Amino acid sequence: MAENSESLGTVPEHERILQEIESTDTACVGPTLRSVYDDQPNAHKKFMEKLDACIRNHDKEIEKMCNFHHQGFVDAITELLKVRTDAEKLKVQVTDTNRRFQDAGKEVIVHTEDIIRCRIQQRNITTVVEKLQLCLPVLEMYSKLKEQMSAKRYYSALKTMEQLENVYFPWVSQYRFCQLMIENLPKLREDIKEISMSDLKDFLESIRKHSDKIGETAMKQAQHQKTFSVSLQKQNKMKFGKNMYINRDRIPEERNETVLKHSLEEEDENEEEVLTVQDLVDFSPVYRCLHIYSVLGDEETFENYYRKQRKKQARLVLQPQSNMHETVDGYRRYFTQIVGFFVVEDHILHVTQGLVTRAYTDELWNMALSKIIAVLRAHSSYCTDPDLVLELKNLIVIFADTLQGYGFPVNRLFDLLFEIRDQYNETLLKKWAGVFRDIFEEDNYSPIPVVNEEEYKIVISKFPFQDPDLEKQSFPKKFPMSQSVPHIYIQVKEFIYASLKFSESLHRSSTEIDDMLRKSTNLLLTRTLSSCLLNLIRKPHIGLTELVQIIINTTHLEQACKYLEDFITNITNISQETVHTTRLYGLSTFKGKVAQTACMSACQHLSTSLMQMLLDSELKQISMGAVQQFNLDVIQCELFASSEPVPGFQGDTLQLAFIDLRQLLDLFMVWDWSTYLADYGQPASKYLRVNPNTALTLLEKMKDTSKKNNIFAQFRKNDRDKQKLIETVVKQLRSLVNGMSQHM
């Protein structure tokens, strides 16, 4: 029972498994079959029995189906057998047709392959042509680049490179030759930069060497442009100079006209020779290098390099030669180099965009101007020749006018000219001091004699002398002044001419020029001429006669100052009545000085002569009475000195000329030898200026007189006592003199 019940339970399970096997994919049968072996021990056997039963059922169904369709299959086989023969015939026909087609198509295949090959070649040729058409412009442009490099057309070469990179290379960038070209372009650019920089360096060196020629040309141009205005100024001066007579002394206008005409002719001849800066300098290296660096995007580097190098050159140009002040050529070369430098910079400023700016040139000019002024101030101080100073002034004026024409401020240069003007006047004063000394040395300090009318006119043509009484006198006659007066007057006018030369072209008004001329003339009269006269009257060979003549000469020179004022007025056309016009005060202050010096010299000469008279070796004896009379004469001289014969002496200055005589005579008059000997050498001594040798000499002469009168002296006790006193004093003085000799 148990086995039956168990078998009943497994049958449905086996059916289920069989259904799964039939319905499930073969890949999933494994797990299903495994469940058969996992069940009860006899389950496999039972499953196999069930499986066999199922197979038999299926076989029965297949048999039924085959029986159902068997007739149709038989009919189909029969039909196939019927068409078999036809099929074989068709196969033979198809095979034969195929063979015949193959034989006929062999030639077509050959031609077709030829056509295909030609088509491929044609297509390749077309492709090559297309690629070559792309490459050919690139190659042509690169060839053009090489030609431009060979022809040194570097700016064009850079433009070609830009076109190659931006337009042509993108078309053929896949080709190796294009990559080689692309790799070569940076090297070509560097080569161009180096070559253009080398050209720039050569250009900078060239303009450094030719700066003086450039500057000379620019200064000639500026001078030529100024010629017309200068000629007009000279003509205007001639107009008011035509009637310039000062006491029959005429300014030689014909000579001025001749000089002007000659200068204008020279300027006309040289006009065609004047070249422009562009004619002297090839600026193409600068333009080319600037354009190249601009194209390369490195313009700032080029600008910095150019400015740095030009600043270095500016420092070299501004450095003067140590001996520049010795000749005018040294100054001229210095100025032309500086002008040449700034003319080039001005040209660069106007023809390039941003290489140099106005701010840069102004900064450079201000730096240069400070250096120039310092150099000129230092070197001009060594100039002692007024002609050299005048030429320096003319060069500075041309230099300033030239640079002012290029827009550079030059006011500081004209301020410097006023400093140099003072120096020029100083050199003129020194030169004229020598002229005056020579005139005084050659003068005989005697009135000028004239024997006829011709000689008289010659003198008054040189000096404005007017004296109706002298004119009425018959020949021969004499002028009151000596020969030095007309010579001095002529030289003063020459000094005014020389001083006027410096004032020309200084862009100053006539009033300022007039003031400068009057001040410089005053300096000549009050300082130079006065100093020469003072030195003259102090010379030992000048006696009283010469002093009197010098005073007379001075008086006439002082009176001639008004004619010198008229002379200056005719030159400047400025009336003397104009407010603030400087007047020539001439030698008025000196004339007191001359009188004082003459008076002091006379008193000193008189005092020295009187002292020499007492001490003269020819005078062997002198009595006390003679000493007393001599004292009275000295008192008269002292009275003259105290009467202030010439105003201006302070206190008893004039009386001091007789102080040596006075103390010596007081000592002998009061016979105060004890005080003299006791106080000798003391600063407060009453007889400080009495020399022991002088006193001893005079005392010995008085002693000899006493000895000759010894016969009568023995009867007079006072005389005997005095003689003893004299001998005692003589001994003491000799001891004092001997002591002084030992100390010396």
Side-chain angles (χ1 to χ4, degrees):
M1 290 294 290
E3 292 178 358
N4 292 331
S5 61
E6 183 178 355
S7 60
L8 291 173
T10 57
V11 172
E13 180 64 22
H14 289 164
E15 292 178 355
R16 185 186 64 79
I17 291 172
L18 289 173
Q19 290 177 359
E20 287 183 4
I21 290 172
E22 293 177 353
S23 61
T24 305
D25 191 4
T26 57
C28 301
V29 174
T32 305
L33 293 176
R34 194 179 296 115
S35 64
V36 174
Y37 292 94
D38 291 341
D39 289 340
Q40 300 174 2
N42 295 324
H44 177 265
K45 183 178 179 182
K46 293 178 179 179
F47 175 74
M48 292 303 294
E49 293 175 352
K50 187 66 175 175
L51 179 62
D52 290 337
C54 183
I55 290 171
R56 287 192 294 272
N57 290 333
H58 284 297
D59 287 340
K60 290 178 180 180
E61 291 178 0
I62 291 171
E63 185 177 356
K64 290 179 181 180
M65 186 176 292
C66 286
N67 289 332
F68 178 79
H69 292 289
H70 179 263
Q71 186 63 42
F73 176 75
V74 173
D75 293 338
I77 292 300
T78 301
E79 290 293 328
L80 285 175
L81 289 175
K82 290 179 179 179
V83 297
R84 179 177 181 179
T85 303
D86 295 333
E88 290 178 355
K89 292 179 180 180
L90 179 62
K91 179 179 178 182
V92 173
Q93 292 177 354
V94 170
T95 302
D96 183 59
T97 302
N98 179 58
R99 180 181 56 76
R100 287 186 286 117
F101 268 111
Q102 290 295 332
D103 294 339
K106 285 181 180 179
E107 187 177 356
V108 175
I109 290 173
V110 172
H111 290 294
T112 302
E113 288 177 352
D114 291 341
I115 291 173
I116 292 172
R117 189 165 51 253
C118 289
R119 293 286 177 87
I120 292 173
Q121 290 177 352
Q122 185 178 9
R123 185 176 69 246
N124 291 340
I125 291 173
T126 303
T127 303
V128 169
V129 170
E130 291 176 354
K131 299 302 181 183
L132 286 177
Q133 286 177 345
L134 287 176
C135 296
L136 189 59
V138 178
L139 296 173
E140 289 177 349
M141 290 296 291
Y142 197 79
S143 176
K144 179 181 178 182
L145 172 62
K146 289 295 186 180
E147 292 177 357
Q148 290 170 340
M149 292 291 293
S150 300
K152 297 183 179 181
R153 296 166 53 200
Y154 301 116
Y155 179 73
S156 300
L158 289 173
K159 289 296 185 181
T160 303
M161 290 183 195
E162 284 187 352
Q163 290 181 339
L164 284 171
E165 289 178 327
N166 299 328
V167 179
Y168 294 95
F169 283 167
W171 299 346
V172 293
S173 59
Q174 68 273 21
Y175 301 113
R176 186 168 178 270
F177 79 89
C178 180
Q179 296 299 323
L180 293 176
M181 291 180 180
I182 293 173
E183 292 173 0
N184 196 36
L185 290 188
K187 182 179 180 302
L188 291 177
R189 285 193 172 95
E190 288 300 321
D191 292 343
I192 291 174
K193 286 180 66 174
E194 292 177 1
I195 294 171
S196 61
M197 184 58 70
S198 177
D199 291 344
L200 176 65
K201 291 178 180 178
D202 294 340
F203 167 78
L204 293 175
E205 181 65 19
S206 175
I207 60 174
R208 186 188 68 81
K209 292 180 179 179
H210 296 89
S211 289
D212 54 347
K213 183 63 176 178
I214 298 170
E216 182 181 358
T217 301
M219 292 174 72
K220 283 182 178 179
Q221 288 177 331
Q223 201 169 9
H224 178 71
Q225 292 172 358
K226 194 178 178 182
T227 300
F228 182 69
S229 59
V230 170
S231 62
L232 287 180
Q233 291 178 2
K234 290 183 178 180
Q235 289 176 0
N236 291 334
K237 288 182 180 179
M238 291 177 185
K239 287 180 180 179
F240 64 75
K242 287 183 177 179
N243 297 322
M244 191 183 299
Y245 287 89
I246 299 180
N247 284 339
R248 305 174 184 87
D249 185 18
R250 179 187 175 111
I251 293 179
E253 62 178 76
E254 294 81 4
R255 181 185 65 183
N256 290 339
E257 291 177 350
T258 303
V259 171
L260 176 59
K261 181 179 179 181
H262 181 65
S263 63
L264 291 177
E265 289 176 353
E266 286 184 347
E267 290 171 353
D268 290 337
E269 292 175 358
N270 296 331
E271 181 177 359
E272 295 181 356
E273 300 177 2
V274 177
L275 303 175
T276 63
V277 178
Q278 292 81 358
D279 295 329
L280 297 173
V281 182
D282 179 16
F283 288 93
S284 59
V286 180
Y287 309 149
R288 184 165 56 247
C289 196
L290 177 61
H291 291 159
I292 288 172
Y293 274 78
S294 299
V295 171
L296 295 175
D298 204 9
E299 185 175 1
E300 184 177 356
T301 300
F302 174 75
E303 291 176 0
N304 293 336
Y305 177 82
Y306 177 85
R307 295 182 184 183
K308 181 179 179 181
Q309 294 302 315
R310 289 297 280 165
K311 284 184 178 179
K312 288 182 180 179
Q313 290 186 346
R315 294 187 183 97
L316 292 176
V317 167
L318 294 171
Q319 190 65 32
Q321 296 181 351
S322 58
N323 61 344
M324 182 179 74
H325 59 276
E326 295 178 358
T327 61
V328 70
D329 290 335
Y331 287 108
R332 183 179 290 109
R333 179 173 176 80
Y334 182 69
F335 286 130
T336 54
Q337 286 182 338
I338 296 174
V339 170
F341 178 89
F342 282 99
V343 166
V344 170
E345 289 304 289
D346 181 77
H347 182 77
I348 295 294
L349 172 67
H350 288 90
V351 299
T352 61
Q353 297 295 330
L355 179 56
V356 296
T357 62
R358 175 57 68 181
Y360 162 80
T361 55
D362 288 345
E363 178 186 359
L364 199 61
W365 169 244
N366 289 331
M367 180 274 292
L369 188 58
S370 300
K371 178 67 176 178
I372 292 168
I373 291 175
V375 167
L376 292 178
R377 186 177 285 129
H379 281 263
S380 63
S381 63
Y382 297 109
C383 295
T384 57
D385 183 6
D387 294 333
L388 179 58
V389 178
L390 184 62
E391 290 182 350
L392 172 60
K393 166 258 174 182
N394 293 331
L395 283 176
I396 294 176
V397 171
I398 298 173
F399 173 74
D401 289 342
T402 302
L403 289 175
Q404 190 175 34
Y406 286 92
F408 295 100
V410 294
N411 292 335
R412 293 173 61 189
L413 285 174
F414 284 101
D415 294 337
L416 174 66
L417 282 174
F418 285 104
E419 298 180 23
I420 298 179
R421 179 201 64 190
D422 296 335
Q423 181 184 348
Y424 175 71
N425 285 336
E426 289 297 324
T427 58
L428 285 181
L429 293 175
K430 290 180 181 179
K431 179 179 179 180
W432 258 257
V435 173
F436 291 154
R437 283 194 298 268
D438 294 340
I439 292 174
F440 291 144
E441 288 293 332
E442 296 172 359
D443 195 10
N444 58 7
Y445 299 100
S446 300
I448 302 174
V450 289
V451 296
N452 52 44
E453 185 71 20
E454 183 179 357
E455 292 183 358
Y456 182 85
K457 290 181 179 180
I458 291 175
V459 174
I460 61 176
S461 66
K462 296 178 180 178
F463 182 76
F465 180 80
Q466 294 180 351
D467 186 356
D469 295 336
L470 182 62
E471 292 180 0
K472 294 177 181 178
Q473 294 179 11
S474 60
F475 293 100
K477 52 188 175 181
K478 294 182 179 181
F479 287 92
M481 66 280 187
S482 66
Q483 191 64 45
S484 63
V485 173
H487 291 165
I488 291 293
Y489 182 78
I490 292 173
Q491 287 302 319
V492 171
K493 292 202 299 181
E494 290 296 327
F495 175 86
I496 294 173
Y497 279 130
S499 182
L500 177 64
K501 289 180 180 178
F502 196 92
S503 302
E504 295 176 347
S505 304
L506 288 186
H507 308 297
R508 296 293 170 178
S509 64
S510 299
T511 303
E512 291 175 300
I513 295 176
D514 181 87
D515 186 65
M516 287 188 288
L517 288 178
R518 293 177 186 273
K519 287 181 178 180
S520 59
T521 306
N522 272 331
L523 283 176
L524 178 72
L525 296 176
T526 61
R527 195 175 76 181
T528 305
L529 182 57
S530 296
S531 177
C532 291
L533 285 170
L534 286 175
N535 292 332
L536 174 65
I537 62 179
R538 288 170 182 167
K539 290 185 177 181
H541 69 273
I542 298 297
L544 290 177
T545 303
E546 288 80 2
L547 285 174
V548 172
Q549 185 62 57
I550 290 172
I551 294 175
I552 294 173
N553 291 347
T554 306
T555 300
H556 286 285
L557 286 173
E558 184 177 2
Q559 293 173 352
C561 283
K562 62 179 181 178
Y563 298 102
L564 292 175
E565 288 184 341
D566 294 337
F567 181 74
I568 295 174
T569 297
N570 287 330
I571 292 177
T572 61
N573 205 25
I574 299 298
S575 174
Q576 299 182 32
E577 285 73 24
T578 304
V579 180
H580 304 306
T581 299
T582 304
R583 303 305 299 269
L584 297 182
Y585 38 87
L587 302 173
S588 57
T589 56
F590 164 78
K591 184 181 176 182
K593 290 182 179 179
V594 172
Q596 290 173 6
T597 303
C599 188
M600 176 61 76
S601 299
C603 291
Q604 289 175 344
H605 178 74
L606 183 59
S607 176
T608 302
S609 299
L610 291 173
M611 181 68 76
Q612 290 176 350
M613 184 185 299
L614 286 176
L615 303 178
D616 190 359
S617 59
E618 299 295 329
L619 181 64
K620 304 297 182 180
Q621 300 175 0
I622 186 171
S623 64
M624 192 63 189
V627 172
Q628 292 174 350
Q629 184 59 47
F630 194 85
N631 181 56
L632 292 175
D633 295 337
V634 173
I635 289 175
Q636 292 299 319
C637 293
E638 290 174 331
L639 290 175
F640 170 78
S642 62
S643 65
E644 195 176 6
V646 176
F649 284 111
Q650 296 181 354
D652 55 355
T653 302
L654 194 58
Q655 293 173 272
L656 292 177
F658 302 97
I659 187 65
D660 292 352
L661 274 175
R662 172 47 49 214
Q663 290 188 7
L664 179 64
L665 292 174
D666 285 348
L667 177 60
F668 277 87
M669 293 303 297
V670 299
W671 211 253
D672 194 8
W673 294 103
S674 59
T675 302
Y676 173 75
L677 294 172
D679 295 343
Y680 179 77
Q682 301 296 324
S685 174
K686 181 179 179 181
Y687 305 103
L688 180 64
R689 301 183 68 87
V690 177
N691 189 292
N693 283 318
T694 303
L696 179 60
T697 301
L698 186 59
L699 198 60
E700 286 179 339
K701 292 183 179 183
M702 294 181 67
K703 177 183 175 183
D704 293 339
T705 303
S706 300
K707 287 181 179 179
K708 287 189 175 183
N709 296 329
N710 192 27
I711 299 175
F712 301 99
Q714 60 183 347
F715 301 105
R716 297 190 290 273
K717 184 176 181 301
N718 292 336
D719 290 338
R720 291 197 303 270
D721 294 339
K722 188 173 183 180
Q723 183 65 28
K724 291 180 181 180
L725 179 59
I726 291 175
E727 292 177 354
T728 302
V729 172
V730 168
K731 291 179 181 179
Q732 292 176 339
L733 287 175
R734 284 176 179 170
S735 299
L736 182 61
V737 171
N738 292 333
M740 291 173 57
S741 300
Q742 292 176 359
H743 286 299
M744 293 177 63

